[in-house]
Amino acid sequence: MTPTQVFTVGALGGLAALVGLVLFVTLAVGLYLLVARLIDAAEEHQEQRRRRRDSDTCQAILALPTTDHPTE
């Protein structure tokens, strides 16, 4: 092979490695963002469940019979 051909093959190999690295970083960042959104969604769902549970508890307490009626 001539030196020009060796240089061309080396340049193509380096370019392919660079493209592979960019794709890998893009995939890693995308996966990180996806997992972060899933974790945030799960935490928000847990928070909504906690709020609903607290609301149900308050409504149950309010539904209890009162003791401020006149005693006999």
Side-chain angles (χ1 to χ4, degrees):
M1 290 178 65
T2 66
T4 304
Q5 290 173 333
V6 172
F7 176 75
T8 303
V9 169
L12 288 174
L15 184 61
L18 182 63
V19 168
L21 182 62
V22 167
L23 288 175
F24 176 75
V25 168
T26 303
L27 178 65
V29 169
L31 187 60
Y32 172 79
L33 291 175
L34 176 67
V35 169
R37 285 185 183 182
L38 288 174
I39 289 172
D40 289 343
E43 288 175 353
E44 180 63 29
H45 178 69
Q46 294 251 342
E47 181 67 21
Q48 287 177 356
R49 287 181 63 202
R50 186 191 61 77
R51 277 191 236 127
R52 189 173 344 140
R53 201 169 37 243
D54 288 349
S55 175
D56 290 346
T57 302
C58 289
Q59 289 176 1
I61 291 171
L62 292 174
L64 290 172
T66 60
T67 57
D68 60 355
H69 59 80
T71 57
E72 296 179 32

